[in-house]
Amino acid sequence: MINESKKWRWGIIGCGNVTEVKSGPAYHLTDGFELFGVMRRNIAKAEDYAQRHNVPFFTDNADDIINNPQIDAIYIATPPDTHKFYGLKVADAGKPCCIEKPMAPTYADSLEIYNVFEQKKVPLFVAYYRRSLPRFLKVKEWLDQGHIGAVRHLRWLKTRNPSPLDKSSDYNWRTDCKIAPAGYFDDLASHGLDLFTFLLGDIQHVSGFAANQQGLYSALDAITGSWIHKSGVMGSGSWIFGAHRPIDKVEIYGSKGEIRFSVLDEAPIALISESKEETLFIEHPQHLHQYHVANMKKHLSGEQIHPSRGVTGLHTSWVMDKILGQV
């Protein structure tokens, strides 16, 4: 039974950099939510985070968060290779959970997580927060209102040049194939692929190619894919992480116009059609997870269905694995 007036006390497993500004503060700012506890393997860093963010409880043991009777829900903000390990524990504890994206390194692991939460009828969210951001809701509005007519094709080009960290011998879990098999594709492209299914519906057929062209790290660094949405809209994408400059360009073509935007860059959205032309810059909130977290509260209160749940995150994992040739 959903309790609309319940005060939900959250715990974070893995209070690293992503939780400093992007996500953590949103749990304090959302009416009806409280950030009650945080965990990090380094106890000194956990204590420092708790003091700076006014969090009453901290620990270096995830079980102290998961099994704490004063904590009602869990946000797993660790690297992807531990999402299943912690996710299954949270499901066993019967607590609502938000898992950072991607849901897991593989579709098989994502499916296992999804099935356990489904069996236990426990809410599961995935941190694809772009589904809740006003900038992309405006793009969806343009599409739904038919400004570009019948949608035909979506194309995304995402490139970046190798960073100093990429070129160094310093460790980076984001390019470690044991944690993120496709490197920056897992971390960055997942956002766009998930957003495209939000905008245009689920994908029915998908394939792709992937390689490591630079040899700078163990993960893949060059990926290309093509797909067909169930609606018949076609899509294609190229993600090249060894290019000479960064590009983030999405174009959606329709029978009467097109829409242009960036998935990751701070850039305007543009509508060019037979009936209307408009260019808007819709600023993101300081805490990027703000609307995503607020929508979790509405979901848990029975007000509306959250746009990024286990079932949608699972579909994105399937699409990614198909592009990489893993399923």
Side-chain angles (χ1 to χ4, degrees):
M1 180 69 69
I2 294 174
N3 184 349
E4 295 185 13
S5 62
K6 178 181 175 63
K7 180 82 170 182
W8 293 86
R9 294 165 298 186
W10 283 78
I12 296 178
I13 298 174
C15 55
N17 185 60
V18 71
T19 69
E20 287 287 350
V21 177
K22 287 177 68 175
S23 60
Y27 289 86
H28 271 318
L29 295 171
T30 298
D31 186 39
F33 277 4
E34 175 189 359
L35 182 53
F36 184 86
V38 294
M39 171 270 174
R40 195 164 180 174
R41 288 177 297 178
N42 183 312
I43 190 64
K45 290 183 177 181
E47 181 179 14
D48 175 66
Y49 185 98
Q51 290 178 345
R52 288 185 293 103
H53 291 272
N54 195 29
V55 179
F57 177 75
F58 64 90
T59 178
D60 60 357
N61 187 336
D63 290 340
D64 294 340
I65 296 288
I66 297 169
N67 300 318
N68 191 321
Q70 294 183 286
I71 292 176
D72 306 301
I74 311 294
Y75 167 35
I76 300 173
T78 60
D81 64 323
T82 55
H83 288 181
K84 185 176 82 167
F85 177 76
Y86 291 126
L88 297 183
K89 285 191 170 192
V90 175
D92 189 58
K95 296 183 178 182
C97 182
C98 177
I99 298 180
E100 258 304 328
K101 57 82 207 164
M103 194 169 171
T106 66
Y107 172 70
D109 283 349
S110 299
L111 181 60
E112 190 172 347
I113 296 168
Y114 170 79
N115 283 339
V116 172
F117 276 91
E118 279 293 295
Q119 291 163 7
K120 292 184 173 292
K121 301 187 184 305
V122 176
L124 173 63
F125 310 98
V126 183
Y128 286 115
Y129 55 83
R130 279 171 172 76
R131 288 174 175 250
S132 296
L133 287 174
R135 183 182 300 174
F136 302 112
L137 292 178
K138 188 65 177 179
V139 172
K140 184 167 176 56
E141 178 186 303
W142 285 342
L143 290 166
D144 292 346
Q145 290 179 350
H147 286 297
I148 64 169
V151 183
R152 305 299 191 202
H153 190 90
L154 177 149
R155 180 172 63 189
W156 184 21
L157 174 63
K158 171 59 186 171
T159 71
R160 57 169 283 182
N161 50 311
S163 69
L165 178 58
D166 294 337
K167 296 176 181 179
S168 75
S169 58
D170 294 339
Y171 180 73
N172 179 7
W173 67 260
R174 287 178 174 82
T175 53
D176 181 347
C177 68
K178 295 178 182 178
I179 296 177
Y184 294 117
F185 176 84
D186 291 349
D187 189 34
L188 304 177
S190 60
H191 271 300
L193 291 167
D194 184 81
L195 178 63
F196 302 155
T197 62
F198 173 67
L199 296 175
L200 300 170
D202 282 354
I203 290 170
Q204 188 170 31
H205 303 291
V206 56
S207 62
F209 299 94
N212 182 317
Q213 293 182 330
Q214 302 175 91
L216 293 177
Y217 40 74
S218 61
L220 299 166
D221 63 10
I223 298 97
T224 186
S226 58
W227 59 88
I228 302 176
H229 293 263
K230 290 181 179 179
S231 62
V233 176
M234 295 185 177
S236 61
S238 292
W239 304 272
I240 306 162
F241 301 107
H244 73 290
R245 68 182 180 95
I247 301 172
D248 180 9
K249 182 169 65 175
V250 177
E251 298 159 313
I252 303 179
Y253 299 99
S255 60
K256 297 181 180 180
E258 62 186 87
I259 296 172
R260 302 171 184 167
F261 62 93
S262 295
V263 173
L264 302 158
D265 289 352
E266 288 297 295
I269 59 174
L271 168 66
I272 305 99
S273 74
E274 296 176 0
S275 60
K276 183 177 184 178
E277 290 198 14
E278 188 173 6
T279 299
L280 299 172
F281 182 78
I282 301 174
E283 192 172 0
H284 287 331
Q286 178 186 6
H287 310 294
L288 282 170
H289 287 224
Q290 178 182 331
Y291 297 107
H292 168 80
V293 174
N295 283 338
M296 287 198 293
K297 175 58 171 63
K298 292 176 183 177
H299 184 108
L300 293 172
S301 300
E303 298 175 45
Q304 67 180 46
I305 301 298
H306 197 283
S308 182
R309 307 181 309 283
V311 65
T312 60
L314 178 66
H315 181 69
T316 300
S317 291
W318 175 80
V319 172
M320 292 169 66
D321 267 20
K322 290 291 283 185
I323 288 174
L324 298 173
Q326 295 179 352
V327 291

